[in-house]
Amino acid sequence: MTSIRKLAYAISAAVLLMTHAYAEACLDEQSLKKLADKEMQYMLQRIPPAFADAVADQQIVGTLSLVSTQPCLVHWQLQLPAAQIAEAQALLQADPAKQIMLAAQGYQIPDAAENGADFTVDMSNLQPLHSETLQTAPLGKLRASVELMYAMLTQARADALSTPAPWSSQDQQSLVQACHQRYSTEPMTQACACYAQGLAEKYSYRQVRYNQYLSTNPYAFATGNGAAYKRLEKSLQVTCGLQAHS
């Protein structure tokens, strides 16, 4: 083998080794799963609680696949329940002014069950690059559209009138614990049990969570969502002898 051929062979081998090493350094199956879990956790923390309930009901599935290694590009596929998409679209169409305002700001509800976005990964922290999370980027648009969809559903379902489903003992205990953190009175256990029972007679546990979320969102209450819940909660504070922590 001539020296030139030897040099060419060495260079080719080096390039192959570098390419292989880069591909391995991008994302393996374990890293893809970790990144998918991170993205789902981000959405669970950011998006109104009707989204978390749909995930818990296994109505939403998110999958991540590798597109290319140079750069490290992945595809995030989110499958949403078609019935909930139709419900959210109907809610928004019933309020043309809001629909026009949101559309002008670049917000829209997904129009299909399958929703995807490609984005580049920052390998230093296994997160999407900042430029990928902006609302003008595919991932940012996907996040914003799903957030809008479940904001509409959370608001609508918070006030839905129906016979509430029986609460589980875990639900009851969870609300009693939250009551202990929020209010002060003696005896505390009896007062918080009274509070939880009063809410359970009118609302499902999920509705209580939706209304608790809305209480932190001034815009939601400004639109009238959660007003009946708020009146009942104030009544129960008096009836059960609860006083908010100062």
Side-chain angles (χ1 to χ4, degrees):
M1 183 181 296
T2 66
S3 58
I4 295 178
R5 290 181 63 189
K6 285 182 179 179
L7 179 60
Y9 178 83
I11 293 174
S12 297
V15 170
L16 285 173
L17 285 172
M18 289 176 63
T19 302
H20 181 67
Y22 187 89
E24 287 188 335
C26 184
L27 290 172
D28 56 18
E29 287 299 322
Q30 184 177 358
S31 297
L32 280 170
K33 183 180 184 306
K34 184 177 180 180
L35 182 57
D37 289 342
K38 278 189 173 184
E39 179 61 24
M40 185 61 77
Q41 284 303 314
Y42 172 88
M43 299 183 83
L44 287 168
Q45 293 168 10
R46 175 68 183 264
I47 297 176
F51 175 81
D53 288 334
V55 172
D57 293 341
Q58 298 183 333
Q59 295 180 300
I60 293 177
V61 178
T63 56
L64 198 68
S65 57
L66 187 63
V67 176
S68 70
T69 59
Q70 299 183 24
C72 195
L73 185 69
V74 297
H75 179 74
W76 175 239
Q77 188 73 20
L78 196 65
Q79 182 176 344
L80 302 171
Q84 292 187 359
I85 292 173
E87 182 183 352
Q89 287 179 335
L91 288 168
L92 191 57
Q93 289 168 3
D95 190 343
K98 180 186 289 187
Q99 186 176 17
I100 293 171
M101 178 189 70
L102 290 171
Q105 296 173 357
Y107 291 98
Q108 62 180 20
I109 289 173
D111 55 11
E114 296 290 339
N115 297 269
D118 290 353
F119 64 90
T120 304
V121 180
D122 183 344
M123 296 308 300
S124 68
N125 56 13
L126 202 63
Q127 298 276 16
L129 291 175
H130 174 67
S131 58
E132 303 284 13
T133 62
L134 302 177
Q135 196 175 320
T136 53
L139 180 62
K141 287 181 178 179
L142 177 56
R143 286 176 170 182
S145 65
V146 176
E147 184 173 357
L148 172 59
M149 172 180 168
Y150 282 97
M152 300 292 298
L153 294 178
T154 296
Q155 290 183 20
R157 294 177 180 180
D159 287 334
L161 298 176
S162 62
T163 303
W167 289 27
S168 68
S169 58
Q170 183 178 357
D171 293 343
Q172 187 88 6
Q173 183 180 4
S174 177
L175 189 62
V176 168
Q177 288 175 346
C179 172
H180 278 261
Q181 295 172 359
R182 183 178 175 187
Y183 298 107
S184 60
T185 189
E186 293 293 341
M188 200 65 202
T189 301
Q190 182 178 347
C192 283
C194 165
Y195 171 76
Q197 180 60 36
L199 291 177
E201 291 175 359
K202 297 291 184 180
Y203 293 93
S204 70
Y205 180 67
R206 286 185 172 183
Q207 283 182 300
V208 170
R209 287 176 47 247
Y210 296 170
N211 278 284
Q212 288 175 337
Y213 168 82
L214 294 179
S215 69
T216 66
N217 187 330
Y219 170 76
F221 271 120
T223 61
N225 293 98
Y229 176 88
K230 207 168 186 179
R231 288 194 297 270
L232 174 61
E233 190 177 43
K234 285 185 176 180
S235 174
L236 289 172
Q237 289 174 16
V238 175
T239 302
C240 301
L242 293 169
Q243 184 174 359
H245 290 301
S246 56

